Amino acid sequence: MITNSTGLHLTITDPPQTLERETGLIGGVSVVVSRKKLKDLQGLFADRNAYTLLDPETLVYSVQAHMPVDEGTPGGLFFGNTIVEPGKVGNEYFITHGHFHANADRAEYYWGVKGEGILILMDLDRKTWGERVFPGSLHYIPGNVAHRLANTGPIPLTVGACWHSDAGHNYDEIDMNGFSARLYEVEGSPRLVEVCR
Ligand code: PA5
Ligand code: NI
């Protein structure tokens, strides 16, 4: 962990971490990895029947995060990437869980590295919209906007992210009420379909 610069006077060093340009992966110190399989995402997808027919060990997404300060520290930044695997549950594309930030007004940047998908966004009024994600796309996610990624292509979707170290994750609202729309493949193309409540 980098806490101060004591002892660095006049030294020139390699950085403690690297970013692989081709894959978007982080190498080096203080990198945390998490993986979500279908069995970890019970209730996330609309088609419960299709869900039970799939192998629960199927990987849906993985996250790499470089966290140089403790989570919750004001003023710091975290840097990471999410890889969403290609796949569907019924007609619904593989997605991340989705969240508001615990410190709800904290914003975040996402950018597309590899593959294609949709960034699904929902504001506090439960208005949901999407932005296309592709290599080179850049997405500013304002505070108070829930965000979730969907892979709509045939290869893994890799997306970079940078967020405040005191943003945190609030999954409760999504666990309770979901997004107001889901992303389905309809006639061969992705379409946001309003959820009837
Ligand atoms: O900080 C972010 O928004 C991302 O790194 C997400 O945490 C990542 O995409 C995984 O999504 P979720 O946290 O909704 O499971
Ligand atoms: Ni976030």
Side-chain angles (χ1 to χ4, degrees), residues 67-169:
M67 304 170 87
V69 296
D70 289 337
E71 178 129 43
T73 305
L77 291 171
F78 291 156
F79 188 95
N81 59 65
T82 301
I83 302 177
V84 187
E85 299 299 319
K88 281 181 289 188
V89 177
N91 289 327
E92 187 173 12
Y93 297 100
F94 275 9
I95 46 175
T96 57
H97 185 290
H99 57 269
F100 286 96
H101 288 150
N103 264 325
D105 66 354
R106 297 299 190 266
E108 180 164 3
Y109 272 113
Y110 275 11
W111 57 94
V113 177
K114 271 192 131 172
E116 57 189 272
I118 306 283
L119 169 60
I120 304 166
L121 299 157
M122 181 177 75
D123 67 15
L124 292 174
D125 295 328
R126 297 188 53 76
K127 289 200 180 74
T128 296
W129 68 103
E131 286 183 6
R132 270 182 215 95
V133 184
F134 49 87
S137 65
L138 180 63
H139 311 270
Y140 178 72
I141 303 167
N144 295 306
V145 172
H147 38 289
R148 153 184 285 174
L149 287 164
N151 184 346
T152 58
I155 63 165
L157 168 69
T158 305
V159 175
C162 185
W163 66 103
H164 299 264
S165 48
D166 65 350
H169 295 81

